[in-house]
Amino acid sequence: MSKDNGSAESSGIVYGRNAVTELLKSDALIDVIFVNKNAGGSINRICTLAREKGVPIKQVDDRRLDTLCSTSAHQGAAAMTACAEYSSVEEILEYARQKNEEPLIIICDEISDPHNLGAIMRTAEAAGAHGIIIPKRRSASLNSTVFKTSAGAAAWVKTARVSNLASVIETLKRNGVWIYGADAGGESVYETNLMGAAALVIGSEGFGIGRLVKEKCDFLISLPMYGEINSLNASVAAGICMYEAVRQRKSVKE
């Protein structure tokens, strides 16, 4: 489909009121809907359909839509298709049970850069993590950029998108999962016992773990910093923590 009839294939964007409406009526995987509510008309109908399907809605202006769609012919509405289907937290836990393994879960707290999220997914898949949990708001999601950056791992790693991370953490705890938050003030990850069911919380690039999520963590872990820079890229930090957990688990089996 060409741009003239409502699609920008390279970015996974479908635009135009009719095209977005029909996409919502179908069984297509939709990541998010972008609308300019000031456009009026059938925009409200599009928002209603999106809410019925549980698709997040982002209100933006025409300038943002022009950039997303690479055209001004969007009519105030655009949809970003998802590169893979989302899972539930229960499915992630069940996957670990099926493999007869203690869950290893990565919680991404507002990782907004799709390149970082994609890199985390790629490492998580390679490390054998059972799933990733992301919030619905203020987070990158399963779009085409994430899929490309993850080298396709986004199609394999079970990813749950949830409304409330703090509530989900409580659910994980009830299922015997210990929560480890990556934070500069925490104990060295190399001195922390990561055995057993574990969820590693990785905070946003600029602000780290949010206060409410941090309060829910059972332990705070950090990476020793020996240079002048006092922090690492979120995906790099996540990778180091994941593989330390893997190292500890493998060392026991051996």
Side-chain angles (χ1 to χ4, degrees):
M1 193 180 289
S2 68
K3 288 184 180 180
D4 291 336
N5 54 7
S7 178
E9 292 288 355
S10 63
S11 59
I13 293 289
V14 173
Y15 58 82
R17 298 185 187 190
N18 288 338
V20 171
T21 298
E22 292 307 313
L23 192 70
L24 283 165
K25 290 179 179 178
S26 74
D27 293 326
L29 299 177
I30 305 174
D31 192 60
V32 63
I33 297 292
F34 299 92
V35 298
N36 181 350
K37 284 198 170 181
N38 293 329
S42 57
I43 294 297
N44 288 337
R45 171 60 176 160
I46 289 172
C47 291
T48 298
L49 286 171
R51 282 191 288 269
E52 289 174 355
K53 288 291 188 83
V55 177
I57 302 168
K58 289 188 179 181
Q59 296 186 35
V60 295
D61 57 22
D62 276 343
R63 182 179 300 179
R64 173 65 172 146
L65 283 167
D66 290 350
T67 301
L68 280 170
C69 305
S70 300
T71 178
S72 60
H74 47 70
Q75 301 174 315
M80 180 175 289
T81 56
C83 66
E85 188 172 359
Y86 288 101
S87 299
S88 67
V89 175
E90 289 73 20
E91 286 172 332
I92 292 173
L93 292 170
E94 177 59 26
Y95 179 55
R97 284 192 287 267
Q98 290 174 358
K99 296 187 72 176
N100 196 29
E101 296 174 348
E102 295 282 14
L104 177 58
I105 299 168
I106 315 305
I107 300 175
C108 297
D109 186 10
E110 298 185 12
I111 301 291
S112 59
D113 185 342
H115 296 90
N116 267 341
L117 182 58
I120 290 171
M121 287 185 166
R122 183 174 185 174
T123 305
E125 200 284 327
H130 300 98
I132 290 176
I133 300 174
I134 61 175
K136 284 187 176 181
R137 298 185 180 277
R138 295 183 292 277
S139 172
S141 47
L142 296 184
N143 59 35
S144 57
T145 301
V146 168
F147 188 87
K148 182 176 181 180
T149 307
S150 75
W156 294 98
V157 179
K158 293 185 182 299
T159 303
R161 186 163 62 166
V162 302
S163 300
N164 190 311
L165 283 182
S167 175
V168 166
I169 287 174
E170 288 298 330
T171 298
L172 292 175
K173 287 184 176 183
R174 288 194 293 271
N175 282 273
V177 179
W178 294 93
I179 313 299
Y180 301 82
D183 183 82
E187 180 183 33
S188 169
V189 67
Y190 303 117
E191 298 174 1
T192 304
N193 184 349
L194 299 175
M195 301 294 293
L200 306 176
V201 185
I202 307 299
S204 66
E205 297 86 353
F207 302 99
I209 301 173
R211 180 182 60 83
L212 290 177
V213 172
K214 186 175 179 179
E215 290 175 354
K216 296 288 185 179
C217 293
D218 297 304
F219 306 95
L220 295 179
I221 57 176
S222 65
L223 295 171
M225 307 298 295
Y226 302 111
E228 298 300 321
I229 302 299
N230 62 5
S231 65
L232 291 174
N233 172 275
S235 63
V236 174
I240 295 171
C241 291
M242 276 187 255
Y243 267 94
E244 174 57 19
V246 171
R247 185 196 67 77
Q248 292 185 20
R249 292 169 180 226
K250 295 299 184 183
S251 65
V252 171
K253 289 183 178 181
E254 293 172 358

